[in-house]
Amino acid sequence: MPLFWRIFLLNAVVLTAATALLLGPVTVSTPVLLTEAAVLTAGLAAMLIANGVLLRVGLGPLQRLTRAMTTTDLLRPGARPAVAGQGEIAELITTFNAMLDRLEAERALSAARALSAQEAERHRIAQELHDEVGQTLTAVLLELKRVADHAPPALREDLHQVQETTRAGLDEIRRIARRLRPGVLEELGLASALKALTNEFTGPALTVRHHIDADLPLLSRDTELVLYRVAQEGLTNAVRHAGADRVDLTLTHTSAGVELSVSDDGDGIHGAPEGAGISGMRERALLIGAGLSLGPGPERGTEVRLVVPTPHESD
C-alpha cells in the first residue's frame, strides 16, 4: 500500500475512533471535569504516538536513502543503500541504486577515455621534447664546443660554463620526457621501471628504498601503467608535501592479488582534503578494478596502498 494511503487510513481510523467515543461513552462537560480531561489527554497522546510510530517506520528508509545520497562518492563505488520499506519507497531506493550503477559505469567509461587521451598527449609531448627540443639543445652543445675550441682563453671559460648550463637543461628535458612517457616500462617491464623510478627520486635529502617480488603474475599493459603512475604520484606527493626523509616502495604478490605500497616517514595527512593527484589515482584504480587506500603509514607519515586483484585471486 502506498505511504500516502497508509498514513491517511491510520489517521482516519484514529479520528473515527475518537469521534465514536465522543458520541458514545465519552462526554465533555462544561466546565471540563478532571476525569474527562485525563481521557482526552490520553486519547491525544495515543493518536500522536500512533502517528509517530507509523511515520518513523514508514519514513525510516527515506532517511537512510538521504544519508546515502549525501555520502555517495563515485570514486569509491559499490556502496548501495539496502532496499527497505514498501510501495514507492522501495521503488525509489531501487531506482536510486540503478542510477548509481549507471553513473558509475558512465564515469568509468569517461575516465578511461580521458586517461587514454592524457596518456596519448603525454606520449606526444615527450616525443616532441625528445625530438625537437632535445635535438636543438644537442646541436647548441656541439656548436658551443666548436666555438669554445677556437675562442680566446679569456672567453673559453665562460663558454664552458654556458655548455654546462645547456647540458643541465638537456638532462632536465630528458628527465621530464621520461616521466611523461616511461619508455623503460614498455621496454624492460614494470619491475625495472619501478626501480628506475625510485633511483630517479633518490637524492641527498631523500632516500627511496624498493622491494619488488620476483614472482609477480603476468599483468596487462593497462595494469602495469596504472601501477607505475600510482607509484609515480605517491613518490611525487612524498617529495612535495610530506617532508619525508625516507620512502619505501613495495610491490608484492599476495593472496589478494598484486599489492603496491608507497609509504613515507613524513608529516602525515592530518585530515587534509584530497587533491587532484589523489583523485587521479582513484580514477586510475577504478579502470582496472583495483582498490586504493590512503592512510597512516606503518610507523608514521602516509601510506598509499593499491591492491590489484588478479584473475586467479578474483575467482
Side-chain angles (χ1 to χ4, degrees):
M1 182 181 296
L3 179 63
F4 169 80
W5 287 109
R6 293 205 304 273
I7 295 176
F8 175 80
L9 290 178
L10 178 63
N11 284 323
V13 169
V14 173
L15 292 175
T16 301
T19 303
L21 289 174
L22 287 176
L23 294 177
V26 179
T27 58
V28 179
S29 305
T30 305
V32 179
L33 300 177
L34 183 60
T35 54
E36 295 174 345
V39 171
L40 292 175
T41 303
L44 177 61
M47 291 175 58
L48 294 176
I49 292 173
N51 278 278
V53 169
L54 176 64
L55 291 175
R56 175 64 64 183
V57 173
L59 300 180
L62 288 180
Q63 293 176 342
R64 291 191 291 272
L65 178 61
T66 301
R67 286 195 297 269
M69 288 179 174
T70 57
T71 58
T72 295
D73 186 356
L74 294 181
L75 290 178
R76 297 176 176 85
R80 297 288 186 272
V83 179
Q86 299 177 357
E88 61 268 78
I89 294 183
E91 183 180 354
L92 178 62
I93 299 175
T94 302
T95 303
F96 176 73
N97 290 340
M99 181 190 69
L100 283 183
D101 292 338
R102 186 175 66 255
L103 288 176
E104 288 178 358
E106 292 175 355
R107 181 181 180 87
L109 180 60
S110 62
R113 291 174 178 172
L115 291 175
S116 177
Q118 183 185 79
E119 289 297 333
E121 186 67 10
R122 284 172 178 260
H123 185 280
R124 184 188 66 81
I125 294 174
Q127 193 72 30
E128 290 185 1
L129 286 175
H130 181 271
D131 294 344
E132 303 296 333
V133 182
Q135 291 183 7
T136 300
L137 289 178
T138 301
V140 170
L141 277 175
L142 294 175
E143 186 66 19
L144 284 172
K145 183 179 183 303
R146 187 187 67 79
V147 173
D149 291 340
H150 298 85
L155 187 60
R156 191 171 300 162
E157 184 64 29
D158 293 338
L159 288 174
H160 284 316
Q161 185 63 37
V162 174
Q163 276 184 286
E164 292 303 319
T165 303
T166 306
R167 185 174 288 107
L170 179 59
D171 292 340
E172 181 68 14
I173 289 294
R174 288 171 176 169
R175 184 184 64 81
I176 294 173
R178 285 196 302 271
R179 287 194 178 184
L180 289 173
R181 178 175 176 260
V184 66
L185 178 63
E186 300 175 358
E187 297 167 3
L188 301 179
L190 179 62
S192 298
L194 291 178
K195 292 176 183 177
L197 189 64
T198 57
N199 294 332
E200 183 178 338
F201 278 89
T202 298
L206 181 67
T207 300
V208 182
R209 303 182 301 186
H210 63 264
H211 171 74
I212 300 174
D213 281 357
D215 61 340
L216 294 175
L218 184 64
L219 301 172
S220 66
R221 180 180 178 277
D222 290 339
T223 300
E224 289 190 346
L225 183 59
V226 168
L227 286 166
Y228 180 87
R229 290 300 187 196
V230 170
Q232 186 180 49
E233 184 65 30
L235 290 173
T236 301
N237 288 340
V239 171
R240 292 180 179 176
H241 309 297
D245 299 320
R246 188 186 75 251
V247 181
D248 293 309
L249 185 149
T250 62
L251 184 65
T252 56
H253 186 200
T254 66
S255 59
V258 175
E259 185 174 298
L260 171 72
S261 170
V262 181
S263 60
D264 61 67
D265 62 349
D267 301 328
I269 302 176
H270 301 301
E274 295 186 357
I278 297 176
S279 297
M281 286 193 290
R282 293 195 184 281
E283 289 189 350
R284 290 183 182 276
L286 289 178
L287 294 180
I288 57 174
L292 182 84
S293 61
L294 187 72
E299 301 176 0
R300 64 187 184 98
T302 306
E303 180 183 35
V304 176
R305 185 177 296 273
L306 180 72
V307 180
V308 182
T310 56
H312 175 72
E313 283 82 9
S314 60
D315 290 341

PDB file of all heavy atoms in Angstrom, residues 14-50:
ATOM      1  N   VAL A  14      -7.995   6.474  13.592  1.00  0.00           N
ATOM      2  CA  VAL A  14      -7.855   7.112  14.911  1.00  0.00           C
ATOM      3  C   VAL A  14      -8.916   8.186  15.105  1.00  0.00           C
ATOM      4  O   VAL A  14      -9.568   8.284  16.161  1.00  0.00           O
ATOM      5  CB  VAL A  14      -6.441   7.689  15.062  1.00  0.00           C
ATOM      6  CG1 VAL A  14      -6.334   8.507  16.346  1.00  0.00           C
ATOM      7  CG2 VAL A  14      -5.406   6.577  15.083  1.00  0.00           C
ATOM      8  N   LEU A  15      -9.119   9.021  14.082  1.00  0.00           N
ATOM      9  CA  LEU A  15     -10.111  10.085  14.214  1.00  0.00           C
ATOM     10  C   LEU A  15     -11.525   9.511  14.297  1.00  0.00           C
ATOM     11  O   LEU A  15     -12.384  10.043  15.033  1.00  0.00           O
ATOM     12  CB  LEU A  15      -9.995  11.050  13.029  1.00  0.00           C
ATOM     13  CG  LEU A  15      -8.701  11.884  13.001  1.00  0.00           C
ATOM     14  CD1 LEU A  15      -8.643  12.710  11.723  1.00  0.00           C
ATOM     15  CD2 LEU A  15      -8.644  12.809  14.227  1.00  0.00           C
ATOM     16  N   THR A  16     -11.810   8.437  13.539  1.00  0.00           N
ATOM     17  CA  THR A  16     -13.133   7.801  13.618  1.00  0.00           C
ATOM     18  C   THR A  16     -13.380   7.218  15.001  1.00  0.00           C
ATOM     19  O   THR A  16     -14.475   7.361  15.581  1.00  0.00           O
ATOM     20  CB  THR A  16     -13.259   6.706  12.556  1.00  0.00           C
ATOM     21  OG1 THR A  16     -13.065   7.281  11.261  1.00  0.00           O
ATOM     22  CG2 THR A  16     -14.617   6.056  12.603  1.00  0.00           C
ATOM     23  N   ALA A  17     -12.345   6.573  15.552  1.00  0.00           N
ATOM     24  CA  ALA A  17     -12.485   6.021  16.899  1.00  0.00           C
ATOM     25  C   ALA A  17     -12.689   7.121  17.928  1.00  0.00           C
ATOM     26  O   ALA A  17     -13.519   7.002  18.843  1.00  0.00           O
ATOM     27  CB  ALA A  17     -11.245   5.185  17.243  1.00  0.00           C
ATOM     28  N   ALA A  18     -11.982   8.212  17.784  1.00  0.00           N
ATOM     29  CA  ALA A  18     -12.145   9.321  18.726  1.00  0.00           C
ATOM     30  C   ALA A  18     -13.546   9.917  18.620  1.00  0.00           C
ATOM     31  O   ALA A  18     -14.190  10.240  19.631  1.00  0.00           O
ATOM     32  CB  ALA A  18     -11.084  10.387  18.464  1.00  0.00           C
ATOM     33  N   THR A  19     -14.025  10.070  17.377  1.00  0.00           N
ATOM     34  CA  THR A  19     -15.376  10.619  17.196  1.00  0.00           C
ATOM     35  C   THR A  19     -16.428   9.687  17.788  1.00  0.00           C
ATOM     36  O   THR A  19     -17.391  10.127  18.443  1.00  0.00           O
ATOM     37  CB  THR A  19     -15.652  10.837  15.700  1.00  0.00           C
ATOM     38  OG1 THR A  19     -14.649  11.711  15.167  1.00  0.00           O
ATOM     39  CG2 THR A  19     -17.016  11.449  15.487  1.00  0.00           C
ATOM     40  N   ALA A  20     -16.265   8.385  17.557  1.00  0.00           N
ATOM     41  CA  ALA A  20     -17.219   7.420  18.105  1.00  0.00           C
ATOM     42  C   ALA A  20     -17.230   7.447  19.635  1.00  0.00           C
ATOM     43  O   ALA A  20     -18.293   7.337  20.269  1.00  0.00           O
ATOM     44  CB  ALA A  20     -16.893   6.025  17.600  1.00  0.00           C
ATOM     45  N   LEU A  21     -16.079   7.603  20.220  1.00  0.00           N
ATOM     46  CA  LEU A  21     -16.018   7.661  21.683  1.00  0.00           C
ATOM     47  C   LEU A  21     -16.687   8.915  22.210  1.00  0.00           C
ATOM     48  O   LEU A  21     -17.388   8.896  23.245  1.00  0.00           O
ATOM     49  CB  LEU A  21     -14.556   7.597  22.148  1.00  0.00           C
ATOM     50  CG  LEU A  21     -13.857   6.231  21.986  1.00  0.00           C
ATOM     51  CD1 LEU A  21     -12.381   6.352  22.337  1.00  0.00           C
ATOM     52  CD2 LEU A  21     -14.526   5.175  22.849  1.00  0.00           C
ATOM     53  N   LEU A  22     -16.463  10.044  21.507  1.00  0.00           N
ATOM     54  CA  LEU A  22     -17.086  11.282  21.965  1.00  0.00           C
ATOM     55  C   LEU A  22     -18.607  11.225  21.815  1.00  0.00           C
ATOM     56  O   LEU A  22     -19.344  11.811  22.606  1.00  0.00           O
ATOM     57  CB  LEU A  22     -16.519  12.471  21.179  1.00  0.00           C
ATOM     58  CG  LEU A  22     -15.076  12.869  21.530  1.00  0.00           C
ATOM     59  CD1 LEU A  22     -14.598  13.981  20.613  1.00  0.00           C
ATOM     60  CD2 LEU A  22     -14.978  13.315  22.990  1.00  0.00           C
ATOM     61  N   LEU A  23     -19.086  10.540  20.763  1.00  0.00           N
ATOM     62  CA  LEU A  23     -20.527  10.422  20.578  1.00  0.00           C
ATOM     63  C   LEU A  23     -21.135   9.357  21.479  1.00  0.00           C
ATOM     64  O   LEU A  23     -22.357   9.319  21.662  1.00  0.00           O
ATOM     65  CB  LEU A  23     -20.838  10.084  19.106  1.00  0.00           C
ATOM     66  CG  LEU A  23     -20.479  11.175  18.087  1.00  0.00           C
ATOM     67  CD1 LEU A  23     -20.759  10.691  16.671  1.00  0.00           C
ATOM     68  CD2 LEU A  23     -21.284  12.449  18.377  1.00  0.00           C
ATOM     69  N   GLY A  24     -20.314   8.480  22.002  1.00  0.00           N
ATOM     70  CA  GLY A  24     -20.820   7.383  22.815  1.00  0.00           C
ATOM     71  C   GLY A  24     -20.510   7.571  24.284  1.00  0.00           C
ATOM     72  O   GLY A  24     -21.017   8.495  24.928  1.00  0.00           O
ATOM     73  N   PRO A  25     -19.653   6.718  24.829  1.00  0.00           N
ATOM     74  CA  PRO A  25     -19.447   6.737  26.287  1.00  0.00           C
ATOM     75  C   PRO A  25     -18.684   7.943  26.797  1.00  0.00           C
ATOM     76  O   PRO A  25     -18.774   8.286  27.974  1.00  0.00           O
ATOM     77  CB  PRO A  25     -18.663   5.444  26.529  1.00  0.00           C
ATOM     78  CG  PRO A  25     -17.961   5.173  25.232  1.00  0.00           C
ATOM     79  CD  PRO A  25     -18.901   5.634  24.165  1.00  0.00           C
ATOM     80  N   VAL A  26     -17.897   8.584  25.965  1.00  0.00           N
ATOM     81  CA  VAL A  26     -17.085   9.702  26.444  1.00  0.00           C
ATOM     82  C   VAL A  26     -17.814  11.001  26.149  1.00  0.00           C
ATOM     83  O   VAL A  26     -18.218  11.263  25.017  1.00  0.00           O
ATOM     84  CB  VAL A  26     -15.704   9.701  25.766  1.00  0.00           C
ATOM     85  CG1 VAL A  26     -14.888  10.887  26.266  1.00  0.00           C
ATOM     86  CG2 VAL A  26     -14.986   8.384  26.055  1.00  0.00           C
ATOM     87  N   THR A  27     -18.019  11.786  27.173  1.00  0.00           N
ATOM     88  CA  THR A  27     -18.664  13.094  27.019  1.00  0.00           C
ATOM     89  C   THR A  27     -17.795  14.154  27.656  1.00  0.00           C
ATOM     90  O   THR A  27     -16.916  13.867  28.474  1.00  0.00           O
ATOM     91  CB  THR A  27     -20.041  13.105  27.690  1.00  0.00           C
ATOM     92  OG1 THR A  27     -19.882  12.784  29.086  1.00  0.00           O
ATOM     93  CG2 THR A  27     -20.975  12.085  27.049  1.00  0.00           C
ATOM     94  N   VAL A  28     -18.034  15.374  27.249  1.00  0.00           N
ATOM     95  CA  VAL A  28     -17.271  16.510  27.766  1.00  0.00           C
ATOM     96  C   VAL A  28     -18.260  17.476  28.409  1.00  0.00           C
ATOM     97  O   VAL A  28     -19.260  17.869  27.784  1.00  0.00           O
ATOM     98  CB  VAL A  28     -16.487  17.209  26.646  1.00  0.00           C
ATOM     99  CG1 VAL A  28     -15.726  18.395  27.207  1.00  0.00           C
ATOM    100  CG2 VAL A  28     -15.543  16.233  25.971  1.00  0.00           C
ATOM    101  N   SER A  29     -18.007  17.807  29.639  1.00  0.00           N
ATOM    102  CA  SER A  29     -18.871  18.726  30.382  1.00  0.00           C
ATOM    103  C   SER A  29     -18.305  20.129  30.340  1.00  0.00           C
ATOM    104  O   SER A  29     -17.154  20.366  29.979  1.00  0.00           O
ATOM    105  CB  SER A  29     -19.003  18.269  31.846  1.00  0.00           C
ATOM    106  OG  SER A  29     -19.459  16.939  31.913  1.00  0.00           O
ATOM    107  N   THR A  30     -19.118  21.043  30.730  1.00  0.00           N
ATOM    108  CA  THR A  30     -18.693  22.440  30.882  1.00  0.00           C
ATOM    109  C   THR A  30     -19.021  22.898  32.300  1.00  0.00           C
ATOM    110  O   THR A  30     -20.207  22.947  32.661  1.00  0.00           O
ATOM    111  CB  THR A  30     -19.408  23.349  29.869  1.00  0.00           C
ATOM    112  OG1 THR A  30     -19.182  22.835  28.553  1.00  0.00           O
ATOM    113  CG2 THR A  30     -18.882  24.755  29.952  1.00  0.00           C
ATOM    114  N   PRO A  31     -18.019  23.215  33.086  1.00  0.00           N
ATOM    115  CA  PRO A  31     -16.585  23.105  32.776  1.00  0.00           C
ATOM    116  C   PRO A  31     -16.131  21.656  32.703  1.00  0.00           C
ATOM    117  O   PRO A  31     -16.809  20.766  33.191  1.00  0.00           O
ATOM    118  CB  PRO A  31     -15.946  23.825  33.954  1.00  0.00           C
ATOM    119  CG  PRO A  31     -16.907  23.612  35.074  1.00  0.00           C
ATOM    120  CD  PRO A  31     -18.280  23.671  34.464  1.00  0.00           C
ATOM    121  N   VAL A  32     -14.947  21.441  32.097  1.00  0.00           N
ATOM    122  CA  VAL A  32     -14.434  20.092  31.880  1.00  0.00           C
ATOM    123  C   VAL A  32     -14.041  19.472  33.211  1.00  0.00           C
ATOM    124  O   VAL A  32     -13.341  20.095  34.016  1.00  0.00           O
ATOM    125  CB  VAL A  32     -13.218  20.121  30.931  1.00  0.00           C
ATOM    126  CG1 VAL A  32     -12.671  18.715  30.728  1.00  0.00           C
ATOM    127  CG2 VAL A  32     -13.617  20.743  29.600  1.00  0.00           C
ATOM    128  N   LEU A  33     -14.505  18.229  33.404  1.00  0.00           N
ATOM    129  CA  LEU A  33     -14.138  17.513  34.613  1.00  0.00           C
ATOM    130  C   LEU A  33     -12.733  16.951  34.500  1.00  0.00           C
ATOM    131  O   LEU A  33     -12.204  16.759  33.401  1.00  0.00           O
ATOM    132  CB  LEU A  33     -15.129  16.379  34.864  1.00  0.00           C
ATOM    133  CG  LEU A  33     -16.607  16.788  35.059  1.00  0.00           C
ATOM    134  CD1 LEU A  33     -17.480  15.568  35.214  1.00  0.00           C
ATOM    135  CD2 LEU A  33     -16.732  17.726  36.258  1.00  0.00           C
ATOM    136  N   LEU A  34     -12.117  16.681  35.644  1.00  0.00           N
ATOM    137  CA  LEU A  34     -10.740  16.177  35.661  1.00  0.00           C
ATOM    138  C   LEU A  34     -10.644  14.833  34.957  1.00  0.00           C
ATOM    139  O   LEU A  34      -9.704  14.578  34.194  1.00  0.00           O
ATOM    140  CB  LEU A  34     -10.248  16.059  37.106  1.00  0.00           C
ATOM    141  CG  LEU A  34      -8.793  15.614  37.279  1.00  0.00           C
ATOM    142  CD1 LEU A  34      -7.852  16.595  36.596  1.00  0.00           C
ATOM    143  CD2 LEU A  34      -8.461  15.472  38.758  1.00  0.00           C
ATOM    144  N   THR A  35     -11.597  13.939  35.177  1.00  0.00           N
ATOM    145  CA  THR A  35     -11.554  12.619  34.528  1.00  0.00           C
ATOM    146  C   THR A  35     -11.721  12.741  33.024  1.00  0.00           C
ATOM    147  O   THR A  35     -11.073  12.016  32.248  1.00  0.00           O
ATOM    148  CB  THR A  35     -12.659  11.735  35.097  1.00  0.00           C
ATOM    149  OG1 THR A  35     -13.930  12.405  34.973  1.00  0.00           O
ATOM    150  CG2 THR A  35     -12.405  11.434  36.572  1.00  0.00           C
ATOM    151  N   GLU A  36     -12.583  13.676  32.587  1.00  0.00           N
ATOM    152  CA  GLU A  36     -12.757  13.871  31.148  1.00  0.00           C
ATOM    153  C   GLU A  36     -11.475  14.423  30.510  1.00  0.00           C
ATOM    154  O   GLU A  36     -11.085  14.011  29.412  1.00  0.00           O
ATOM    155  CB  GLU A  36     -13.927  14.811  30.895  1.00  0.00           C
ATOM    156  CG  GLU A  36     -15.274  14.235  31.329  1.00  0.00           C
ATOM    157  CD  GLU A  36     -16.388  15.246  31.204  1.00  0.00           C
ATOM    158  OE1 GLU A  36     -16.082  16.469  31.055  1.00  0.00           O
ATOM    159  OE2 GLU A  36     -17.547  14.844  31.243  1.00  0.00           O
ATOM    160  N   ALA A  37     -10.827  15.347  31.193  1.00  0.00           N
ATOM    161  CA  ALA A  37      -9.569  15.888  30.672  1.00  0.00           C
ATOM    162  C   ALA A  37      -8.516  14.798  30.567  1.00  0.00           C
ATOM    163  O   ALA A  37      -7.728  14.739  29.601  1.00  0.00           O
ATOM    164  CB  ALA A  37      -9.073  17.027  31.573  1.00  0.00           C
ATOM    165  N   ALA A  38      -8.473  13.904  31.549  1.00  0.00           N
ATOM    166  CA  ALA A  38      -7.497  12.815  31.508  1.00  0.00           C
ATOM    167  C   ALA A  38      -7.768  11.890  30.331  1.00  0.00           C
ATOM    168  O   ALA A  38      -6.843  11.434  29.637  1.00  0.00           O
ATOM    169  CB  ALA A  38      -7.539  12.042  32.820  1.00  0.00           C
ATOM    170  N   VAL A  39      -9.074  11.580  30.081  1.00  0.00           N
ATOM    171  CA  VAL A  39      -9.412  10.704  28.958  1.00  0.00           C
ATOM    172  C   VAL A  39      -9.020  11.349  27.631  1.00  0.00           C
ATOM    173  O   VAL A  39      -8.436  10.719  26.735  1.00  0.00           O
ATOM    174  CB  VAL A  39     -10.903  10.359  28.990  1.00  0.00           C
ATOM    175  CG1 VAL A  39     -11.313   9.640  27.695  1.00  0.00           C
ATOM    176  CG2 VAL A  39     -11.236   9.493  30.195  1.00  0.00           C
ATOM    177  N   LEU A  40      -9.321  12.647  27.456  1.00  0.00           N
ATOM    178  CA  LEU A  40      -8.975  13.351  26.222  1.00  0.00           C
ATOM    179  C   LEU A  40      -7.457  13.432  26.020  1.00  0.00           C
ATOM    180  O   LEU A  40      -6.954  13.281  24.903  1.00  0.00           O
ATOM    181  CB  LEU A  40      -9.582  14.741  26.228  1.00  0.00           C
ATOM    182  CG  LEU A  40     -11.108  14.798  26.131  1.00  0.00           C
ATOM    183  CD1 LEU A  40     -11.603  16.237  26.259  1.00  0.00           C
ATOM    184  CD2 LEU A  40     -11.586  14.207  24.808  1.00  0.00           C
ATOM    185  N   THR A  41      -6.737  13.689  27.120  1.00  0.00           N
ATOM    186  CA  THR A  41      -5.273  13.756  27.020  1.00  0.00           C
ATOM    187  C   THR A  41      -4.686  12.415  26.610  1.00  0.00           C
ATOM    188  O   THR A  41      -3.785  12.324  25.775  1.00  0.00           O
ATOM    189  CB  THR A  41      -4.679  14.214  28.362  1.00  0.00           C
ATOM    190  OG1 THR A  41      -5.233  15.478  28.727  1.00  0.00           O
ATOM    191  CG2 THR A  41      -3.170  14.322  28.276  1.00  0.00           C
ATOM    192  N   ALA A  42      -5.212  11.332  27.223  1.00  0.00           N
ATOM    193  CA  ALA A  42      -4.739  10.001  26.859  1.00  0.00           C
ATOM    194  C   ALA A  42      -5.049   9.681  25.402  1.00  0.00           C
ATOM    195  O   ALA A  42      -4.223   9.088  24.684  1.00  0.00           O
ATOM    196  CB  ALA A  42      -5.358   8.962  27.774  1.00  0.00           C
ATOM    197  N   GLY A  43      -6.219  10.060  24.927  1.00  0.00           N
ATOM    198  CA  GLY A  43      -6.560   9.818  23.525  1.00  0.00           C
ATOM    199  C   GLY A  43      -5.661  10.593  22.580  1.00  0.00           C
ATOM    200  O   GLY A  43      -5.217  10.065  21.556  1.00  0.00           O
ATOM    201  N   LEU A  44      -5.390  11.878  22.933  1.00  0.00           N
ATOM    202  CA  LEU A  44      -4.495  12.666  22.087  1.00  0.00           C
ATOM    203  C   LEU A  44      -3.093  12.064  22.066  1.00  0.00           C
ATOM    204  O   LEU A  44      -2.445  11.987  21.005  1.00  0.00           O
ATOM    205  CB  LEU A  44      -4.441  14.105  22.614  1.00  0.00           C
ATOM    206  CG  LEU A  44      -3.484  15.049  21.878  1.00  0.00           C
ATOM    207  CD1 LEU A  44      -3.878  15.181  20.407  1.00  0.00           C
ATOM    208  CD2 LEU A  44      -3.441  16.417  22.556  1.00  0.00           C
ATOM    209  N   ALA A  45      -2.622  11.618  23.238  1.00  0.00           N
ATOM    210  CA  ALA A  45      -1.302  11.001  23.292  1.00  0.00           C
ATOM    211  C   ALA A  45      -1.254   9.731  22.449  1.00  0.00           C
ATOM    212  O   ALA A  45      -0.259   9.471  21.750  1.00  0.00           O
ATOM    213  CB  ALA A  45      -0.929  10.697  24.743  1.00  0.00           C
ATOM    214  N   ALA A  46      -2.341   8.936  22.504  1.00  0.00           N
ATOM    215  CA  ALA A  46      -2.380   7.714  21.702  1.00  0.00           C
ATOM    216  C   ALA A  46      -2.337   8.028  20.211  1.00  0.00           C
ATOM    217  O   ALA A  46      -1.658   7.345  19.429  1.00  0.00           O
ATOM    218  CB  ALA A  46      -3.629   6.911  22.044  1.00  0.00           C
ATOM    219  N   MET A  47      -3.062   9.097  19.812  1.00  0.00           N
ATOM    220  CA  MET A  47      -3.038   9.494  18.403  1.00  0.00           C
ATOM    221  C   MET A  47      -1.639   9.926  17.969  1.00  0.00           C
ATOM    222  O   MET A  47      -1.152   9.534  16.906  1.00  0.00           O
ATOM    223  CB  MET A  47      -4.034  10.633  18.166  1.00  0.00           C
ATOM    224  CG  MET A  47      -5.503  10.242  18.285  1.00  0.00           C
ATOM    225  SD  MET A  47      -6.591  11.684  18.126  1.00  0.00           S
ATOM    226  CE  MET A  47      -6.126  12.285  16.525  1.00  0.00           C
ATOM    227  N   LEU A  48      -0.999  10.737  18.799  1.00  0.00           N
ATOM    228  CA  LEU A  48       0.334  11.220  18.439  1.00  0.00           C
ATOM    229  C   LEU A  48       1.348  10.071  18.380  1.00  0.00           C
ATOM    230  O   LEU A  48       2.191  10.028  17.482  1.00  0.00           O
ATOM    231  CB  LEU A  48       0.789  12.276  19.447  1.00  0.00           C
ATOM    232  CG  LEU A  48      -0.020  13.581  19.445  1.00  0.00           C
ATOM    233  CD1 LEU A  48       0.469  14.509  20.557  1.00  0.00           C
ATOM    234  CD2 LEU A  48       0.085  14.284  18.091  1.00  0.00           C
ATOM    235  N   ILE A  49       1.241   9.151  19.338  1.00  0.00           N
ATOM    236  CA  ILE A  49       2.177   8.026  19.350  1.00  0.00           C
ATOM    237  C   ILE A  49       1.967   7.140  18.126  1.00  0.00           C
ATOM    238  O   ILE A  49       2.924   6.706  17.468  1.00  0.00           O
ATOM    239  CB  ILE A  49       2.013   7.219  20.645  1.00  0.00           C
ATOM    240  CG1 ILE A  49       2.498   8.048  21.843  1.00  0.00           C
ATOM    241  CG2 ILE A  49       2.775   5.904  20.568  1.00  0.00           C
ATOM    242  CD1 ILE A  49       2.234   7.403  23.189  1.00  0.00           C
ATOM    243  N   ALA A  50       0.710   6.885  17.789  1.00  0.00           N
ATOM    244  CA  ALA A  50       0.428   6.039  16.627  1.00  0.00           C
ATOM    245  C   ALA A  50       0.948   6.678  15.344  1.00  0.00           C
ATOM    246  O   ALA A  50       1.568   6.005  14.499  1.00  0.00           O
ATOM    247  CB  ALA A  50      -1.076   5.777  16.532  1.00  0.00           C
TER     248      ALA A  50
END
